[in-house]
Amino acid sequence: MTGKVGLNINGDLSEREIVERVRLAERTGIRTIWVGEFEGFEDPFVVAEIISSASKKVNIGFGVLSTSRRGCEKIVEGLEALEQRYGERYILGLGAGNFDDASKAFRNLRECVEKVSGFCLVLGASSPRTLKLASETDGVLFNSVNPEFVKWMNGFVEGDVFKAAYGPALLLPSEYEEDLIIAASIVFLGSKKLISEFKMQEIAHEISKVDIMELVELRRSGKSIRGHGSETLFKYREFLLQNFTISGGVLDVAERMKKLLEICDHVVLADPFFRDVESVRKLEVLIEMVGG
């Protein structure tokens, strides 16, 4: 259903740009496009509607929708409406989200998993209890593209479920490298359990002092983040790119994808890959190199 390689497209491009990326990705052999949810992005269901109208062939995954932010009933209503118009071609990816009360967020997620039926359901996960909960669904989106980290996460998943590695990606060099570094830092800080397990607390403490959202807004306005409190991110550039992205030249990216596909069924090239048209155009080569 999904193919080995998926592409994430987020809702902060114009409708015209989204359609262009979708049609280009489809021509390269992409069978599944994943829509992300993030502060300031267009509603994921609106983006899914645009993609559904632009292509009758690609499957569409949500990677992921926060049950605490959006609510389970609204998520189900939105997906049912899409399926009525465009058929059963959707993968519902759910996550607890980043909230101060992590236990409450997890309870919301678990309650939603218990309620949802009739859809292909996967969970976005990096913490042990969410990974275990994913074993009760159709699959898991590992919030990591580091093979070592994914192997650790996989140890908490029981049964033969669909497994995908989902994380920031980009072919370098690229004008979107700063976006890649920001995305890597967001993923890095997203799992306290992972940080603790691999003893990365000191670096996490330093990076947590950076105003990431301010840097995100700078990039959205087309400005560079240099000189705006981003020094710590550039200090740890190699650490972030090596551990939390799929990036580098074509051979580097293909090699990382192959390693992940030894553990997973699917790899999602996430933000900012879709922003760089040249990266998207080379998807056909990457797909061929990893065998599908």
Side-chain angles (χ1 to χ4, degrees), residues 103-118:
S103 294
K104 182 179 179 181
F106 179 76
R107 286 198 301 273
N108 289 338
L109 176 61
R110 184 176 59 198
E111 289 171 4
C112 192
V113 167
E114 293 170 353
K115 292 177 182 177
V116 170
S117 63

Side-chain angles (χ1 to χ4, degrees), residues 1-7 22 24-34 51 55-61 89-91 265-267 283 287 291-292:
M1 177 181 177
T2 60
K4 289 185 178 180
V5 183
L7 178 67
V22 170
L24 178 57
E26 185 180 50
R27 288 197 296 271
T28 66
I30 287 291
R31 291 162 57 188
T32 306
I33 291 177
W34 297 84
I51 296 170
S55 171
K56 295 180 180 179
K57 295 181 180 179
V58 298
N59 298 304
I60 299 160
R89 50 193 284 210
Y90 300 92
I91 303 169
D265 305 296
H266 186 68
V267 174
L283 273 170
I287 291 171

Side-chain angles (χ1 to χ4, degrees), residues 109-282:
L109 176 61
R110 184 176 59 198
E111 289 171 4
C112 192
V113 167
E114 293 170 353
K115 292 177 182 177
V116 170
S117 63
F119 302 117
C120 181
L121 175 63
V122 299
L123 299 190
S126 58
S127 67
R129 62 179 177 177
T130 308
L131 291 161
K132 290 177 182 177
L133 181 61
S135 304
E136 302 174 21
T137 71
D138 296 301
V140 58
L141 301 178
F142 294 116
N143 192 25
S144 177
V145 287
N146 180 313
E148 184 180 6
F149 299 166
V150 171
K151 286 178 182 177
W152 173 76
M153 292 179 186
N154 194 35
F156 298 99
V157 181
E158 301 172 358
D160 184 21
V161 298
F162 170 77
K163 298 172 184 177
Y166 194 123
L170 189 64
L171 288 173
L172 298 174
S174 170
E175 62 181 295
Y176 297 96
E177 183 177 316
E178 291 186 0
D179 301 274
L180 181 69
I181 295 171
I182 293 171
S185 67
I186 292 171
V187 172
F188 172 41
L189 297 177
S191 175
K192 293 180 181 179
K193 292 289 187 182
L194 183 72
I195 289 169
S196 175
E197 175 69 21
F198 290 92
K199 299 178 173 56
M200 300 180 288
Q201 293 95 328
E202 290 186 12
I203 299 176
H205 179 68
E206 284 192 58
I207 291 178
S208 67
K209 295 178 182 179
V210 178
D211 189 340
I212 299 294
M213 288 310 300
E214 179 184 357
L215 302 183
V216 169
E217 291 303 320
L218 282 168
R219 292 301 298 149
R220 284 180 181 167
S221 64
K223 299 177 182 177
S224 172
I225 63 174
R226 291 187 180 274
H228 293 275
S230 61
E231 295 80 9
T232 303
L233 299 192
F234 287 108
K235 173 183 175 182
Y236 289 109
R237 174 187 179 277
E238 293 303 319
F239 167 82
L240 289 169
L241 297 191
Q242 179 62 35
N243 289 291
F244 300 96
T245 76
I246 301 174
S247 60
V250 171
L251 292 176
D252 300 317
V253 169
E255 188 60 32
R256 171 61 69 91
M257 292 167 67
K258 286 178 182 178
K259 289 181 179 178
L260 288 166
L261 287 169
E262 292 175 1
I263 314 164
C264 302
D265 305 296
H266 186 68
V267 174
V268 183
L269 303 173
D271 203 343
F273 197 97
F274 72 93
R275 301 182 188 281
D276 191 334
V277 173
E278 291 306 312
S279 286
V280 178
R281 284 176 178 154
K282 292 176 181 175

